[in-house]
Amino acid sequence: MEKIRVAVSGALGRMGREVCRTVLATEGLELVDAYDSRAAGEDLGPVLGTAPTGIVVRELTPQHLQQYSPQVLVDFTTPLSVMQNITLSLEAGVRPVVGTTGITGADLEHIREMVKKRGIGAIIAPNFALGAVLLMKFAAAAARFFPQAEIIELHHDQKIDAPSGTALKTAEMIAAARLRQPQSREELIKLPGVRGGLQDGINIHSIRLSGLVAHQEVIFGGEGQTLSLRHDSYDRRSFMPGVVLAIKKVPALDDLVYGLENILDL
Ligand code: NAD
């Protein structure tokens, strides 16, 4: 069987480097190009701590995207650049697999339109870790019985956006699954922001500390009891099985898939 030709944008970043290592080591996948806005024409090998690969890291441009004709572009860059990268990718006929967070509802609509126009698929997942996807699913199940919920998301101190895409999606899923709304009540707020941010009536609290990778806890409150669901990604390798699955699934798609749960047999 022919290998899937993969390019990675954000290749010098924490996630991008892990994706490059994974693609190089995975049967059925071929890494053909690597992009980063900080690129200085270096070989990817030393960046990954391996022997030279012959793949030179360069900027993501329409010309570079055409040159080695990747079928899939994996993007782990920044909320500020992701929309431009997705547009470049779709315009070049390359299917995007996107882990970069900070994509809004309006952005998603725009991407869906572009995908339809081009007739090629795309996958966007706020979280590629299987455990985090299961946490969201379990949270939606619990929300039917526990209308009160708060989300605490904890990430490393270099993360730009807050709250995390996973926290926003979890709040959406809880809100959609609730059979009744929690009772509202008056609060005396003595410090602005102390109750977190509200999404779909659910308080989200974002913690940023060095030493953390990506973690989330959802606490449900009921009469005389609480239920806590927690997921911890201790290492960026936790995201790689989900990324590989998306790379393998996207060539057969002709629509936008948002969320890893939609390509998993759960
Ligand atoms: P990072 O800062 O380590 O890496 C980002 C890289 O992108 C940098 O090397 C930067 O130079 C590069 N870059 C910036 N603009 C670019 C552009 N226009 N074209 C090409 N490269 C560009 O960040 P990170 O920790 O690797 O995270 C990247 C993104 O992935 C963030 O949005 C983060 O929240 C998200 N993330 C998602 C998941 C998931 O499962 N979906 C998991 C972890 C991180």
Side-chain angles (χ1 to χ4, degrees):
M1 222 165 79
E2 284 214 357
K3 290 185 176 183
I4 302 173
R5 297 169 62 79
V6 182
V8 175
S9 64
L12 297 180
R14 286 167 291 239
M15 286 297 289
R17 274 175 296 175
E18 202 58 54
V19 174
C20 289
R21 269 188 212 105
T22 302
V23 172
L24 285 168
T26 302
E27 218 175 294
L29 306 185
E30 186 185 0
L31 186 66
V32 296
D33 218 354
Y35 311 114
D36 200 290
S37 52
R38 288 186 287 153
E42 61 271 61
D43 185 283
L44 187 62
V47 173
L48 305 181
T50 67
T53 57
I55 298 167
V56 172
V57 187
R58 45 198 196 152
E59 277 198 40
L60 177 58
T61 65
Q63 295 73 23
H64 288 164
L65 259 183
Q66 296 288 352
Q67 192 178 358
Y68 297 115
S69 55
Q71 291 160 274
V72 179
L73 177 73
V74 181
D75 189 282
F76 280 94
T77 56
T78 71
L80 297 176
S81 62
V82 63
M83 279 306 285
Q84 193 192 352
N85 294 353
I86 293 173
T87 307
L88 281 179
S89 179
L90 288 170
E91 281 177 352
V94 181
R95 294 154 192 270
V97 165
V98 180
T100 311
T101 49
I103 296 174
T104 65
D107 291 338
L108 278 179
E109 278 320 300
H110 184 52
I111 297 165
R112 206 177 292 282
E113 275 169 30
M114 286 195 286
V115 162
K116 275 211 182 109
K117 202 165 129 197
R118 302 268 156 191
I120 58 171
I123 297 177
I124 299 175
N127 202 315
F128 276 105
L130 174 63
V133 173
L134 286 174
L135 184 152
M136 287 189 255
K137 203 174 161 62
F138 298 154
R144 296 179 55 222
F145 306 98
F146 291 87
Q148 273 187 6
E150 302 215 1
I151 299 172
I152 304 164
E153 59 94 345
L154 311 90
H155 282 82
H156 59 87
D157 62 349
Q158 301 300 308
K159 185 169 172 62
I160 297 174
D161 54 320
S164 68
T166 306
L168 287 171
K169 184 130 206 265
T170 308
E172 257 170 49
M173 288 173 72
I174 291 172
R178 273 174 173 166
L179 300 177
R180 58 197 160 92
Q181 295 303 313
Q183 280 182 343
S184 59
R185 60 184 185 88
E186 289 275 312
E187 284 182 296
L188 176 61
I189 303 296
K190 295 194 274 186
L191 184 65
V194 71
R195 296 284 291 118
L198 265 191
Q199 169 75 25
D200 291 316
I202 295 155
N203 297 65
I204 302 180
H205 311 268
S206 296
I207 291 171
R208 297 290 175 264
L209 289 172
S210 57
L212 293 168
V213 178
H215 316 256
Q216 176 165 284
E217 189 161 339
V218 185
I219 308 176
F220 292 92
E223 236 163 82
Q225 60 183 321
T226 62
L227 170 65
S228 300
L229 301 174
R230 182 169 171 117
H231 173 256
D232 298 277
S233 274
Y234 297 110
D235 190 294
R236 290 180 176 82
R237 278 176 301 176
S238 62
F239 303 110
M240 295 305 120
V243 173
V244 169
L245 180 71
I247 294 171
K248 290 186 173 173
K249 291 264 183 184
V250 77
L253 297 178
D254 59 2
D255 204 350
L256 169 65
V257 169
Y258 178 64
L260 190 68
E261 64 280 11
N262 297 308
I263 54 166
L264 284 170
D265 191 14
L266 291 176

